[in-house]
PDB file of all heavy atoms in Angstrom:
ATOM      1  N   ASN A  33      13.281  66.104  -7.305  1.00  0.00           N
ATOM      2  CA  ASN A  33      13.267  65.717  -5.892  1.00  0.00           C
ATOM      3  C   ASN A  33      13.943  64.363  -5.685  1.00  0.00           C
ATOM      4  O   ASN A  33      14.741  64.177  -4.759  1.00  0.00           O
ATOM      5  CB  ASN A  33      11.818  65.644  -5.387  1.00  0.00           C
ATOM      6  CG  ASN A  33      11.266  66.997  -4.982  1.00  0.00           C
ATOM      7  OD1 ASN A  33      12.003  67.866  -4.525  1.00  0.00           O
ATOM      8  ND2 ASN A  33       9.971  67.177  -5.154  1.00  0.00           N
ATOM      9  N   ALA A  97      21.224  71.743 -23.372  1.00  0.00           N
ATOM     10  CA  ALA A  97      21.712  71.618 -21.997  1.00  0.00           C
ATOM     11  C   ALA A  97      23.086  70.956 -21.965  1.00  0.00           C
ATOM     12  O   ALA A  97      23.961  71.357 -21.174  1.00  0.00           O
ATOM     13  CB  ALA A  97      20.710  70.813 -21.174  1.00  0.00           C
ATOM     14  N   GLY A 142      36.255  53.636 -19.562  1.00  0.00           N
ATOM     15  CA  GLY A 142      34.927  54.077 -19.176  1.00  0.00           C
ATOM     16  C   GLY A 142      33.951  53.826 -20.300  1.00  0.00           C
ATOM     17  O   GLY A 142      34.341  53.533 -21.435  1.00  0.00           O
ATOM     18  N   SER A 146      23.397  52.563 -18.591  1.00  0.00           N
ATOM     19  CA  SER A 146      21.971  52.843 -18.599  1.00  0.00           C
ATOM     20  C   SER A 146      21.293  52.219 -17.388  1.00  0.00           C
ATOM     21  O   SER A 146      21.443  51.025 -17.131  1.00  0.00           O
ATOM     22  CB  SER A 146      21.343  52.295 -19.888  1.00  0.00           C
ATOM     23  OG  SER A 146      19.955  52.574 -19.924  1.00  0.00           O
ATOM     24  N   CYS A 184      24.436  45.811 -23.801  1.00  0.00           N
ATOM     25  CA  CYS A 184      23.285  45.934 -24.695  1.00  0.00           C
ATOM     26  C   CYS A 184      23.738  46.569 -26.002  1.00  0.00           C
ATOM     27  O   CYS A 184      24.848  47.098 -26.104  1.00  0.00           O
ATOM     28  CB  CYS A 184      22.160  46.739 -24.051  1.00  0.00           C
ATOM     29  SG  CYS A 184      22.545  48.471 -23.735  1.00  0.00           S
ATOM     30  N   ILE A 191      17.740  57.170 -17.898  1.00  0.00           N
ATOM     31  CA  ILE A 191      18.820  57.311 -16.918  1.00  0.00           C
ATOM     32  C   ILE A 191      20.071  56.827 -17.629  1.00  0.00           C
ATOM     33  O   ILE A 191      20.254  55.624 -17.814  1.00  0.00           O
ATOM     34  CB  ILE A 191      18.588  56.454 -15.657  1.00  0.00           C
ATOM     35  CG1 ILE A 191      17.233  56.737 -15.004  1.00  0.00           C
ATOM     36  CG2 ILE A 191      19.717  56.661 -14.650  1.00  0.00           C
ATOM     37  CD1 ILE A 191      16.876  55.761 -13.881  1.00  0.00           C
ATOM     38  N   TYR A 264       1.970  63.296 -39.454  1.00  0.00           N
ATOM     39  CA  TYR A 264       3.339  62.811 -39.639  1.00  0.00           C
ATOM     40  C   TYR A 264       4.334  63.905 -40.013  1.00  0.00           C
ATOM     41  O   TYR A 264       5.519  63.627 -40.171  1.00  0.00           O
ATOM     42  CB  TYR A 264       3.363  61.664 -40.649  1.00  0.00           C
ATOM     43  CG  TYR A 264       2.861  60.376 -40.043  1.00  0.00           C
ATOM     44  CD1 TYR A 264       1.662  59.806 -40.456  1.00  0.00           C
ATOM     45  CD2 TYR A 264       3.566  59.757 -39.018  1.00  0.00           C
ATOM     46  CE1 TYR A 264       1.195  58.634 -39.877  1.00  0.00           C
ATOM     47  CE2 TYR A 264       3.114  58.587 -38.434  1.00  0.00           C
ATOM     48  CZ  TYR A 264       1.932  58.033 -38.859  1.00  0.00           C
ATOM     49  OH  TYR A 264       1.467  56.875 -38.261  1.00  0.00           O
ATOM     50  N   ASN A 271       8.362  61.315 -39.568  1.00  0.00           N
ATOM     51  CA  ASN A 271       9.166  60.224 -40.114  1.00  0.00           C
ATOM     52  C   ASN A 271      10.643  60.600 -40.227  1.00  0.00           C
ATOM     53  O   ASN A 271      11.484  59.719 -40.393  1.00  0.00           O
ATOM     54  CB  ASN A 271       8.645  59.837 -41.504  1.00  0.00           C
ATOM     55  CG  ASN A 271       7.309  59.115 -41.446  1.00  0.00           C
ATOM     56  OD1 ASN A 271       7.066  58.331 -40.542  1.00  0.00           O
ATOM     57  ND2 ASN A 271       6.453  59.392 -42.411  1.00  0.00           N
ATOM     58  N   VAL A 278      17.685  55.240 -39.646  1.00  0.00           N
ATOM     59  CA  VAL A 278      17.918  54.117 -40.562  1.00  0.00           C
ATOM     60  C   VAL A 278      19.120  54.392 -41.453  1.00  0.00           C
ATOM     61  O   VAL A 278      19.981  53.528 -41.648  1.00  0.00           O
ATOM     62  CB  VAL A 278      16.657  53.845 -41.408  1.00  0.00           C
ATOM     63  CG1 VAL A 278      16.955  52.816 -42.502  1.00  0.00           C
ATOM     64  CG2 VAL A 278      15.514  53.358 -40.526  1.00  0.00           C
ATOM     65  N   ASN A 281      22.239  53.917 -39.321  1.00  0.00           N
ATOM     66  CA  ASN A 281      22.482  52.669 -38.597  1.00  0.00           C
ATOM     67  C   ASN A 281      22.063  51.390 -39.325  1.00  0.00           C
ATOM     68  O   ASN A 281      22.540  50.313 -38.965  1.00  0.00           O
ATOM     69  CB  ASN A 281      21.764  52.729 -37.233  1.00  0.00           C
ATOM     70  CG  ASN A 281      22.304  53.831 -36.345  1.00  0.00           C
ATOM     71  OD1 ASN A 281      23.409  53.720 -35.826  1.00  0.00           O
ATOM     72  ND2 ASN A 281      21.537  54.899 -36.195  1.00  0.00           N
ATOM     73  N   TYR A 303      -0.587  48.976 -44.374  1.00  0.00           N
ATOM     74  CA  TYR A 303       0.640  49.105 -43.584  1.00  0.00           C
ATOM     75  C   TYR A 303       0.539  48.314 -42.286  1.00  0.00           C
ATOM     76  O   TYR A 303       1.463  47.588 -41.919  1.00  0.00           O
ATOM     77  CB  TYR A 303       0.930  50.569 -43.270  1.00  0.00           C
ATOM     78  CG  TYR A 303       2.080  50.747 -42.311  1.00  0.00           C
ATOM     79  CD1 TYR A 303       3.400  50.716 -42.751  1.00  0.00           C
ATOM     80  CD2 TYR A 303       1.868  50.926 -40.940  1.00  0.00           C
ATOM     81  CE1 TYR A 303       4.467  50.864 -41.880  1.00  0.00           C
ATOM     82  CE2 TYR A 303       2.924  51.066 -40.053  1.00  0.00           C
ATOM     83  CZ  TYR A 303       4.212  51.033 -40.530  1.00  0.00           C
ATOM     84  OH  TYR A 303       5.265  51.164 -39.661  1.00  0.00           O
ATOM     85  N   ARG A 306       0.751  44.634 -42.764  1.00  0.00           N
ATOM     86  CA  ARG A 306       2.167  44.290 -42.977  1.00  0.00           C
ATOM     87  C   ARG A 306       2.923  44.279 -41.665  1.00  0.00           C
ATOM     88  O   ARG A 306       3.704  43.378 -41.368  1.00  0.00           O
ATOM     89  CB  ARG A 306       2.781  45.320 -43.930  1.00  0.00           C
ATOM     90  CG  ARG A 306       4.266  45.125 -44.198  1.00  0.00           C
ATOM     91  CD  ARG A 306       4.905  46.421 -44.659  1.00  0.00           C
ATOM     92  NE  ARG A 306       4.884  47.428 -43.601  1.00  0.00           N
ATOM     93  CZ  ARG A 306       5.801  47.486 -42.628  1.00  0.00           C
ATOM     94  NH1 ARG A 306       6.787  46.609 -42.574  1.00  0.00           N
ATOM     95  NH2 ARG A 306       5.734  48.424 -41.706  1.00  0.00           N
TER      96      ARG A 306
END
Side-chain angles (χ1 to χ4, degrees):
N33 277 329
S146 181
C184 66
I191 305 171
Y264 284 112
N271 288 323
V278 172
N281 297 288
Y303 173 82
R306 178 203 66 83

